[in-house]
Amino acid sequence: MLPIPSSHPLWKKYQILNAITNIFSGINYALALNSIISALSNSVLLTGALNFIYKDVIGQLFSIFFAYTRINKPDENPIKHGIIFYFLIQIFYLLDNITPFFPKYFLLIAGLSSIGKNVCMIAIGSVNVKCIEELSNNNMGKVYSKIASQNSFFSSMGMGIGGGLCILFPEHLERLYMFCPIISFLDILSYYFSIQPVLKEREAMEEYLI
């Protein structure tokens, strides 16, 4: 763990659970990306590249609309907001993982998944910022940069594990049944236990001040 300048009693617990969450997220990402690339493997090189680009363009355009229309939701009920979107992002990873079975509908399935993942990442990111704000000691910028570095490290570790699973279990259907549900469940669970104590304390403090 990176040394984080925070004396908050929940910080160490948040750090550990956040690291575990990022590992599971990295595994999910690696499995989903492998499925997407496999779905494009029979495409003409240019067509495959354009499909890969367009799915992200579609997702990012729709996420802009979401960010401006639901910008206040994380402040109203951040725990519920975070868990709902963390559950939804698992469904969109699942869509990525089924693309090899429906290559003709790649852009439709992957485009829908990209929309969902971009929206979910904005929603989840807004909740994570509230956690960091609560745990920092008037040095949010410094804390954020260090926790972001830690997130990158553990996500990369998860992607490495995910890549290993793709090598050991190359059959997409086998991975879909054996690993995806378990990884998604553990990912949601670790995320919930990382944010719940922090945001509960924040809500209690806000109620006290009122």
Side-chain angles (χ1 to χ4, degrees), residues 11 15 69 113-114 161 196:
W11 183 253
Q15 253 193 304
T69 56
S113 172
S114 184
I161 295 169
Q196 193 268 349

Side-chain angles (χ1 to χ4, degrees), residues 3 25 64 69 73 88 96 112 132 146 178 184 188-189 202 209-210:
S25 295
I64 293 169
T69 56
K73 297 299 178 182
L88 288 175
D96 285 342
L112 178 62
I132 294 171
K146 291 197 175 184
M178 286 178 63
S184 291
I188 294 169
L189 205 63
R202 182 187 180 95
L209 292 174
I210 291 171

Side-chain angles (χ1 to χ4, degrees), residues 27-36 90-101 109 113 166 172-173 175-176 180 184:
I27 296 172
N28 256 333
Y29 177 77
L31 296 178
L33 186 60
N34 179 261
S35 297
I36 287 173
Q90 309 303 320
I91 295 174
F92 296 121
Y93 277 128
L94 176 63
L95 286 181
D96 285 342
N97 280 305
I98 67 171
T99 52
F101 307 112
I109 297 171
S113 172
C166 292
H172 295 286
L173 193 60
R175 293 203 309 260
L176 193 62
C180 291
S184 291

Side-chain angles (χ1 to χ4, degrees), residues 1 11 20 39 50 62 72 74 109 111-113 122 128 154 164 179 194 198 204 210:
M1 296 292 174
W11 183 253
I20 294 169
L50 289 175
F62 274 86
N72 62 322
I109 297 171
L112 178 62
S113 172
I122 290 174
N128 291 343
F154 285 105
F179 298 111
S194 69
V198 177
I210 291 171

Side-chain angles (χ1 to χ4, degrees), residues 88-183:
L88 288 175
I89 203 171
Q90 309 303 320
I91 295 174
F92 296 121
Y93 277 128
L94 176 63
L95 286 181
D96 285 342
N97 280 305
I98 67 171
T99 52
F101 307 112
F102 307 98
K104 290 183 179 179
Y105 302 101
F106 172 83
L107 193 56
L108 176 64
I109 297 171
L112 178 62
S113 172
S114 184
I115 291 169
K117 285 187 296 184
N118 275 278
V119 166
C120 288
M121 285 174 186
I122 290 174
I124 293 164
S126 64
V127 174
N128 291 343
V129 167
K130 290 186 76 67
C131 288
I132 294 171
E133 180 184 17
E134 172 64 22
L135 294 167
S136 60
N137 302 321
N138 298 318
N139 57 346
M140 189 174 169
K142 187 175 182 180
V143 172
Y144 179 85
S145 63
K146 291 197 175 184
I147 199 68
S149 300
Q150 179 178 292
N151 289 349
S152 296
F153 174 78
F154 285 105
S155 292
S156 298
M157 184 186 294
M159 284 188 278
I161 295 169
L165 290 175
C166 292
I167 294 168
L168 293 172
F169 302 92
E171 290 294 326
H172 295 286
L173 193 60
E174 188 179 18
R175 293 203 309 260
L176 193 62
Y177 286 120
M178 286 178 63
F179 298 111
C180 291
I182 298 171
I183 292 167

